[in-house]
Amino acid sequence: MVQPVIRVAGLGKSYETAAGLFPALKGVDLDVRPGEFIAIMGPSGSGKSTFMNLLGCLDTPTVGDYFLAGENVAHMDKDALALLRNRTLGFVFQGFNLLPRMSLQDNVALPLVYAGVDRETRQAKARELLAKVGLGNYAESLPNRISGGQQQRVAIARALVNEPRLILADEPTGNLDSHTSEEIMRLFEELNGEGITIVLVTHEPDIAAHCKRQVRFLDGQIVSDQLTTGDSA
Amino acid sequence: MIHPMLGEAWLAMGANRLRTALTMLGMVIGVGAVVIMMAIGQGAQYAVQQTISTMGSNLFIVLSGSFTTAGVRSGSAGAPTLNVADANAIAELDGVVNVAPTHQGTRQLVYGSQNWSSQVIGTTPEYLDARAWNIVNGAGFGDSDVRSATRVAIIGKTVAENLFGDDDPVGKTMRIQQNPFIVIGVLGSKGQNLDGRDQDDTVIIPLTTAQRKVFGTPFLGSVRMIMVQAESAETMPRTMESVTSLLRQRHRLREGVPDDFFMRNLSAAAESEAETTRTMSILLGAIASISLLVGGIGIMNIMLVSVTERTREIGIRMAIGARQRDILSQFLLEAVMISFAGCLLGLLLGLAIALAINAFTGMVIVISGSAALIAFVVAAGVGIFFGWYPAQKAARLDPIEALRYQ
Ligand SMILES: Nc1ncnc2c1ncn2[C@@H]1O[C@H](COP(=O)(O)OP(=O)(O)O)[C@@H](O)[C@H]1O
Ligand SMILES: [Mg+2]
């Protein structure tokens, strides 16, 4: 059997609040195999972002285990987590999160700076990925010169620059109109076709219909996990 | 790793030019002040050293008279207690290199229609040896001139210029107290002494001539002062002691009777003067360094603001793989660059002002490479020291918290 890209077992996360410890995630189990394309769904406040932040190694769980490509991430130190964020996975945010003062090319190349890649390779790689997401002509532009949909493409190019096998996206189409959202989803489909595993959060069924598998959260727990059926697409 | 970071630090500095410039200004003023103060302080030290080197080394003088309990010299108005025989006896002592009895005072000089008032020193040829004073034009007088009280004079540069103008003074006759003197030599220039007196405004004549023709002392053979040059700084105290006991013996002073002469160690006085300027120089530098400290605090302040403003940027960088040390070095580099740029400008400004001070006031300034080096090391140090806390604060941010920051 193929090793899962992600294996989550009894994963829990509680936040310290003024009212006491708040359990945002309560014992979640999930396996993600290579090449899967999963939509995480559920109402607002159901713990989707909390879960994605854990998968993205941006946060550490209160309890449980998280194996990323076979390694237990749950107890790694900050530098090891930074390394995973840099090399093993790419994260796409709802709000794009590009650095406003940098050209698109420099934005895309930034993860390579932290990977210690030389300048020539960084620039070549960034140009290649900008071309791949259809923005080859905008390499020197600043982020505020292009539309939201284009910014999200740049963010996806940045997530891809270190050739990760896994892309995580928290509501990547949340700030985009339906037409642009469709385009972004087609880009994800294309990437998934190339063998990249994708996990994305959405609460729109139309968006989720692009994915092969849909996992539904409610109150910090998974309540359903099913393959996308033909008629909902 | 550092290379792309440099470009980014440059971008960040350019993003808010006015703020960067104002922050830098603190360093510019700090470094500028240190450079100017060090230039002035070292200049003063240099000037004192120069002056001391013109004085002659290991000198002390024996003066006629004594200290009363109140510290006021008494007896100087009366008959001088020292004489030429005392000087000759001192010359026989071990550890004494040169002895020159002198008698001096200010007198009017006349040459043709020119008048000039100057210090006239009556002494022996050893005086010039003790003071390491050479003759640049003509010749000095010898012991025979002292024995036969000839009317010859050696003049300093200032006298030569003011009395003789463009004429060659050697061979010319000038008058001191109506007595004609033939100028036989011109002294090399020594500049000012520690009290600011022009040492070149001097006329040196044989002691005997001075006593008989110029100062008209009623006690022939007596002198007010004897200059003594010791072998070395180490043997000087011992030499002074033996001079004391010799003179007490010669003057038949019984035990308990106070000395009828006193001594002053010129070299020690000069050393303490040098020490004073050195202390002053350090003090100036220390005061100037305080402004450097203020500049550093300015950098720390602006870096703290910058870290807060760029919290979200830090979160993004962390999300794509920046480690704590990457964030730390980014902000540290920015602080050091601001500090360095400020330092460079401060160095140039300080040099310009120091040179201007020299040009307009004639004050001696010394610009040393070590001052520039110190300024740069300090700038890097200030950048790292004051940049550390803000950079550390940035590096320790939690990625999720930072990303959520609006
Ligand atoms: N940092 C936090 N501190 C306290 N509570 C939090 C924090 N982050 C999220 N929560 C709470 O955890 C729950 C899940 O949040 P989240 O994972 O963001 O939900 P979703 O993304 O599904 O809307 C919510 O009730 C939210 O208020
Ligand atoms: Mg959310």
Side-chain angles (χ1 to χ4, degrees):
Chain A
M1 196 195 132
V2 199
Q3 190 189 41
V5 181
I6 288 172
R7 163 160 286 178
V8 159
L11 201 66
K13 176 77 184 177
S14 299
Y15 291 112
E16 308 243 14
T17 65
L21 224 51
F22 175 80
L25 218 54
K26 309 162 184 167
V28 171
D29 303 307
L30 187 74
D31 274 14
V32 179
R33 286 175 299 281
E36 280 203 285
F37 188 8
I38 301 180
I40 306 280
M41 303 188 66
S44 189
S46 58
K48 305 183 296 295
S49 290
T50 301
F51 184 58
M52 289 302 276
N53 290 341
L54 291 176
L55 293 190
C57 300
L58 288 164
D59 208 353
T60 47
T62 315
V63 291
D65 290 308
Y66 168 27
F67 297 90
L68 177 61
E71 275 188 284
N72 196 348
V73 172
H75 307 294
M76 283 189 178
D77 68 15
K78 289 186 170 190
D79 277 1
L81 292 176
L83 195 69
L84 287 173
R85 294 196 293 269
N86 189 241
R87 312 284 169 87
T88 312
L89 58 88
F91 208 103
V92 178
F93 302 90
Q94 180 175 355
F96 323 135
N97 278 344
L98 300 177
L99 293 184
R101 281 198 305 268
M102 277 189 190
S103 71
L104 300 187
Q105 179 177 308
D106 287 346
N107 260 288
V108 173
L110 196 54
L112 295 174
V113 169
Y114 296 120
V117 175
D118 68 88
R119 186 178 157 81
E120 241 102 276
T121 316
R122 289 201 307 264
Q123 290 187 327
K125 194 86 196 173
R127 280 181 186 279
E128 177 195 323
L129 279 154
L130 277 175
K132 186 183 173 81
V133 299
L135 290 165
N137 295 332
Y138 293 83
E140 301 301 332
S141 304
L142 289 177
N144 61 9
R145 294 274 163 220
I146 58 173
S147 71
Q150 289 173 320
Q151 286 189 47
Q152 196 59 299
R153 285 169 179 276
V154 175
I156 293 169
R158 181 178 65 186
L160 290 169
V161 80
N162 255 329
E163 297 172 7
R165 289 186 298 163
L166 173 67
I167 294 283
L168 302 170
D170 192 354
E171 303 201 38
T173 60
N175 287 6
L176 304 174
D177 62 51
S178 59
H179 177 71
T180 315
S181 298
E182 282 296 317
E183 282 179 4
I184 292 293
M185 287 314 291
R186 274 202 291 279
L187 177 57
F188 276 127
E189 278 178 317
E190 197 185 305
L191 296 174
N192 182 240
E194 291 168 15
I196 297 173
T197 310
I198 298 172
V199 179
L200 65 79
V201 171
T202 182
H203 35 231
E204 290 172 63
D206 287 356
I207 297 295
H210 286 271
C211 305
K212 294 175 185 167
R213 182 178 163 195
Q214 301 183 6
V215 174
R216 191 168 292 275
F217 273 68
L218 187 66
D219 289 337
Q221 282 174 312
I222 292 176
V223 290
S224 82
D225 182 350
Q226 59 196 121
L227 295 181
T228 306
T229 51
D231 51 80
S232 72
Chain B
M1 193 75 241
I2 280 299
H3 186 57
M5 286 295 179
L6 266 175
E8 289 201 25
W10 184 248
L11 268 181
M13 283 167 69
N16 204 329
R17 296 219 177 91
L18 179 63
R19 196 162 82 183
T20 307
L22 288 174
T23 310
M24 250 186 235
L25 193 60
M27 287 306 291
V28 171
I29 291 171
V31 171
V34 170
V35 168
I36 294 168
M37 291 308 172
M38 281 183 79
I40 291 176
Q42 290 189 329
Q45 264 177 276
Y46 176 80
V48 167
Q49 285 304 337
Q50 280 300 100
T51 306
I52 289 171
S53 73
T54 67
M55 192 185 72
S57 45
N58 310 321
L59 294 181
F60 65 92
I61 50 176
V62 187
L63 290 155
S64 163
S66 62
F67 277 116
T68 65
T69 43
V72 180
R73 204 171 116 200
S74 72
S76 62
T81 55
L82 298 170
N83 55 44
V84 176
D86 287 334
N88 292 338
I90 291 171
E92 298 300 315
L93 288 173
D94 276 350
V96 171
V97 180
N98 279 303
V99 177
T102 69
H103 202 138
Q104 62 195 55
T106 302
R107 287 295 181 271
Q108 193 77 11
L109 313 176
V110 182
Y111 170 69
S113 60
Q114 297 293 313
N115 270 288
W116 186 254
S117 173
S118 185
Q119 173 179 248
V120 176
I121 302 175
T123 187
T124 58
E126 283 78 14
Y127 182 82
L128 294 186
D129 297 333
R131 305 248 359 237
W133 212 343
N134 58 334
I135 289 164
V136 293
N137 182 12
F141 53 80
D143 289 328
S144 59
D145 291 296
V146 179
R147 272 196 303 275
S148 47
T150 55
R151 279 177 284 197
V152 292
I154 309 167
I155 60 174
K157 194 173 123 257
T158 306
V159 178
E161 282 167 3
N162 287 284
L163 208 54
F164 296 93
D166 292 335
D167 292 356
D168 181 359
V170 177
K172 302 278 181 331
T173 301
M174 65 174 183
R175 288 174 181 279
I176 310 173
Q177 299 279 97
Q178 313 306 327
N179 295 291
F181 280 77
I182 298 172
V183 177
I184 57 168
V186 179
L187 293 160
S189 176
K190 276 194 183 290
Q192 294 187 340
N193 71 3
L194 283 177
D195 303 326
R197 188 196 162 95
D198 180 7
Q199 301 181 84
D200 298 329
D201 192 3
T202 298
V203 174
I204 298 176
I205 58 176
L207 177 67
T208 43
T209 321
Q211 289 170 327
R212 289 178 202 160
K213 310 284 183 193
V214 178
F215 301 114
T217 169
F219 315 98
L220 220 55
S222 68
V223 291
R224 295 220 186 274
M225 185 175 112
I226 300 171
M227 179 173 281
V228 185
Q229 182 172 37
E231 230 163 47
S232 67
E234 292 75 54
T235 60
M236 184 106 106
R238 214 166 349 107
T239 308
M240 288 174 80
E241 271 171 38
S242 37
V243 168
T244 304
S245 52
L246 175 78
L247 290 180
R248 285 188 66 86
Q249 202 188 325
R250 287 181 55 83
H251 296 182
R252 297 181 220 290
L253 299 174
R254 274 176 289 111
E255 216 155 320
V257 176
D259 294 344
D260 59 357
F261 58 91
F262 67 100
M263 283 188 260
R264 210 159 88 86
N265 185 335
L266 296 181
S267 298
E271 271 317 305
S272 84
E273 176 81 20
E275 183 60 32
T276 306
T277 31
R278 213 171 64 82
T279 309
M280 184 195 75
S281 169
I282 291 170
L283 203 69
L284 283 178
I287 291 169
S289 317
I290 292 173
S291 54
L292 209 56
L293 197 73
V294 175
I297 292 170
I299 289 180
M300 176 141 134
N301 185 32
I302 225 63
M303 290 311 293
L304 281 172
V305 172
S306 177
V307 167
T308 307
E309 279 180 354
R310 288 155 68 191
T311 299
R312 195 175 168 80
E313 174 194 324
I314 294 164
I316 294 170
R317 287 175 182 275
M318 286 176 159
I320 61 171
R323 290 157 300 184
Q324 292 196 325
R325 77 179 91 115
D326 295 325
I327 302 294
L328 186 83
S329 53
Q330 180 189 341
F331 281 89
L332 217 47
L333 197 66
E334 245 179 83
V336 171
M337 272 177 73
I338 291 177
S339 178
F340 246 87
C343 174
L344 194 67
L345 291 176
L347 204 63
L348 294 177
L349 182 81
L351 288 182
I353 293 179
L355 289 174
I357 289 174
N358 174 255
F360 290 114
T361 69
M363 192 187 277
V364 181
I365 58 158
V366 172
I367 291 159
S368 59
S370 66
L373 192 74
I374 289 171
F376 267 102
V377 170
V378 165
V382 164
I384 291 172
F385 185 82
F386 289 100
W388 187 266
Y389 175 68
Q392 183 88 330
K393 213 177 139 170
R396 290 207 174 139
L397 285 173
D398 177 64
I400 292 291
E401 299 285 331
L403 278 168
R404 210 176 277 138
Y405 187 86
Q406 286 309 319

